[in-house]
Amino acid sequence: MIYDAKIIGVETHSDNVLYKLRIINSQTFEQRDIRVKYSYLQNLHSSLQELNPDRQLPQFPKKDLIQSFMGEHKFVKQKEQLIGEYLSQLIKSPPPSCKPLIFFLRDGADAIRQTELSKEISTKTELFKLIKPEKILKQSIFGKTTLCSLQGKKVILHKFYVLRSQSEELFNHYFNTHLYFTDFTLICKIIHIFFLHQKLNFMDSMFGSTKQPRSCKKQHFEQFYSSINKYDVVKLFSIEAYEGQSLEEIIQEKRIKKISFSNNELWNLIQQLLEAILFLHNNDCYPNRITTNSIIINQENLKLTGIQEPNEKYKDKYIIDGHAHKTELEYDSIYFPPEKLNSTQFNGKLNDSWQFGVCIVKAALLCTNKELEGIHQSKIVNELISQIKNQYGDEIANILMLSLKNSIQQRTLIKHLHSIANQSSITPFQSVFLNQIQDPTVTFIRLNSINEEEKLRLTAQLSLSSVLSIKINLYNQQVDNKEFDKLMQLLGDFAIIKDIEIILNKATNINVSSVLCSLASIKSLINLNLDLKGIQIDQNDIIYGIQIFKQMNLMKRLTLDCSCMDFINFIKAELDDKMKLICYYETQLI
């Protein structure tokens, strides 16, 4: 069993008690929080018992026992413990026939999310009572995108044109994909998915006919579906939270102003984009349609939109079959890897690697799609990456070369690109993409050793700017714990450090407890990236580390990469409600 689950709380919604579960995938370390009713868990237990009549399952807590505890405050936690203990025993020793349990752990839906996503909106009147259209953003033969307001917040109304014969299948896939997601840190949230329905006549209403999706008034897709008529295409809608500018808009702005991305900005974009795509892959969501229009950037982070949209395959066919000439999609073939254009071997994850590379090349060189028309030729790729290498250096050029290999066998998976990018550099996310004025005193500094020369350089820097974002790379070095502590004291006493990355991968002479104690000197720390791969971590280090992290009151994000699963599990159990955690187990043990 690759899954684990634990109760992390109880919520009440409209007199319904919902148990909040955290489901953890031990292979990818991704976790989902879902809320389920007692009756759902009870039905799951009954199904397992029916499938395994000769197996003694753990005792499922009876509702009257739980209700008896609800009367007194001291027993409130008991209801969580009873369900939690049941799930723990069940997962630790699952019955031989356990498909319902695996389905629940893999695909179980959040009850509140399911209600929200499936909200019935059947008519235009109902739709426009809910939202207020403000501006059409995009319109084509495949649908329309409109900026709207919903309860004072900006949202996007998507209208997708799909073939009636495929509408139910496409709706279900789109709905189930977005029902699965409960964490919207890296993707844009779809709020509702629905069809507008045709009005039933009197006879249909009498005989209880099913409402049908509303047909389009004009033809669509006639260029490549010759048998189509206007009644064959229907409208599928979704409402999505508006999160900010697209990368395409930012590239166009920079192109007009002739202002390139800085090295830090491009590293930032690479790392955030890889993290977002890896999140999708770890949740079995691929291939995706990743373009500069589907990458959304705001003041806090980067998110992906357009995930598994129902009209994607129509767009792909339209472009590949050559119907996009002189349309807005004319040069979108640059996002298709060679094997997709040639109808040869296809790999969904490697498809996303290619798209990632194209997006970063566009950002690095401020290109249009047309200017990258020849990107499927190895010679053109080499020329483009040579330009990027001259401007941004070897590390970024290497990542792009690995992602844009014409041969599918030579192209690198997103998870490996993510490892390389995070091994090379960590840049804190700022709102620089939005061309906002940044605090001129914020300085990024990189230390590759702890010696007198580096300390003098740091001291000189502190005299110029006291607000730093810092990276300390001590990979495979012998570390003097006292000198490391002095360095942290210096930073804590004379600088404001909001973001710090420390790479101790395979460093020797490391005292983990001492290192973690030194970090407590930096009171202003908000984002910490800590690489402890190849370092032995014992029980005392774990206990001490948890205590130190709990004292760091301002810290909002901890990224940990280590070779100790106990440390990861303890951190997730003790700190998950206090900060954003990203944990990796030996992501790249060299």
Side-chain angles (χ1 to χ4, degrees), residues 225-374:
Y225 285 111
S226 57
S227 63
I228 199 165
N229 62 61
K230 64 181 180 181
Y231 301 108
D232 287 327
V233 178
V234 298
K235 306 169 187 177
L236 195 163
F237 294 84
S238 70
I239 298 174
E240 179 181 56
Y242 175 82
E243 297 284 1
Q245 280 185 297
S246 71
L247 177 58
E248 181 63 31
E249 292 171 316
I250 295 167
I251 290 172
Q252 289 175 9
E253 287 178 10
K254 285 184 169 289
R255 184 181 172 94
I256 292 169
K257 296 176 181 179
K258 298 182 179 179
I259 302 174
S260 298
F261 288 93
S262 70
N263 197 287
N264 280 356
E265 288 172 352
L266 196 63
W267 264 122
N268 192 336
L269 175 61
I270 288 169
Q271 291 162 348
Q272 291 281 332
L273 181 54
L274 286 170
E275 187 173 339
I277 302 172
L278 184 62
F279 170 76
L280 294 179
H281 287 193
N282 284 343
N283 286 288
D284 294 324
C285 184
Y286 56 85
N288 296 285
R289 189 178 181 84
I290 300 162
T291 70
T292 50
N293 281 307
S294 68
I295 299 166
I296 306 299
I297 295 170
N298 58 33
Q299 295 185 29
E300 297 178 355
N301 56 5
L302 174 152
K303 296 189 179 187
L304 292 176
T305 185
I307 296 166
Q308 302 293 312
E309 288 186 341
N311 59 4
E312 282 180 3
K313 69 176 187 177
Y314 303 131
K315 290 182 182 179
D316 289 356
K317 179 175 174 59
Y318 185 71
I319 295 166
I320 291 172
D321 289 356
H323 298 292
H325 184 59
K326 292 185 178 181
T327 72
E328 76 280 0
L329 298 175
E330 181 172 5
Y331 298 103
D332 270 23
S333 59
I334 64 171
Y335 293 109
F336 296 162
E339 63 273 11
K340 186 167 185 175
L341 293 174
N342 300 330
S343 299
T344 55
Q345 181 185 6
F346 183 75
N347 181 299
K349 289 185 176 181
L350 291 172
N351 171 82
D352 292 0
S353 296
W354 175 274
Q355 293 178 124
F356 156 79
V358 172
C359 291
I360 299 302
V361 168
K362 282 194 67 176
L365 300 178
L366 303 181
C367 290
T368 63
N369 289 4
K370 184 178 180 180
E371 290 169 338
L372 294 183
E373 189 178 7

Side-chain angles (χ1 to χ4, degrees), residues 337-464:
E339 63 273 11
K340 186 167 185 175
L341 293 174
N342 300 330
S343 299
T344 55
Q345 181 185 6
F346 183 75
N347 181 299
K349 289 185 176 181
L350 291 172
N351 171 82
D352 292 0
S353 296
W354 175 274
Q355 293 178 124
F356 156 79
V358 172
C359 291
I360 299 302
V361 168
K362 282 194 67 176
L365 300 178
L366 303 181
C367 290
T368 63
N369 289 4
K370 184 178 180 180
E371 290 169 338
L372 294 183
E373 189 178 7
I375 199 168
H376 297 102
Q377 302 172 37
S378 297
K379 180 183 176 182
I380 300 296
V381 170
N382 291 335
E383 291 174 358
L384 293 168
I385 291 179
S386 179
Q387 293 179 53
I388 293 170
K389 181 177 178 180
N390 292 335
Q391 186 173 350
Y392 294 101
D394 292 341
E395 292 178 330
I396 288 176
N398 179 50
I399 288 172
L400 292 175
M401 184 61 78
L402 292 171
S403 70
L404 291 173
K405 292 288 186 183
N406 268 6
S407 168
I408 194 170
Q409 288 79 17
Q410 295 178 347
R411 200 177 308 143
T412 303
L413 290 166
I414 289 293
K415 66 178 181 180
H416 299 314
L417 294 173
H418 180 269
S419 296
I420 295 167
N422 282 279
Q423 187 67 37
S424 301
S425 173
I426 291 290
T427 306
F429 195 95
Q430 299 173 336
S431 54
V432 289
F433 291 112
L434 300 178
N435 303 313
Q436 295 184 355
I437 297 173
Q438 299 300 302
D439 186 341
T441 62
V442 177
T443 304
F444 177 76
I445 190 167
R446 183 170 181 166
L447 302 178
N448 293 317
S449 63
I450 303 177
N451 54 34
E452 287 304 317
E453 182 181 348
E454 289 288 68
K455 281 192 283 186
L456 287 172
R457 184 166 70 88
L458 177 61
T459 304
Q461 184 62 59
L462 288 174
S463 67
L464 301 174

Side-chain angles (χ1 to χ4, degrees), residues 525-537:
L525 192 59
I526 294 175
N527 300 313
L528 171 62
N529 188 294
L530 192 56
D531 184 345
L532 297 174
K533 294 193 299 291
I535 305 297
Q536 186 173 353
I537 301 173

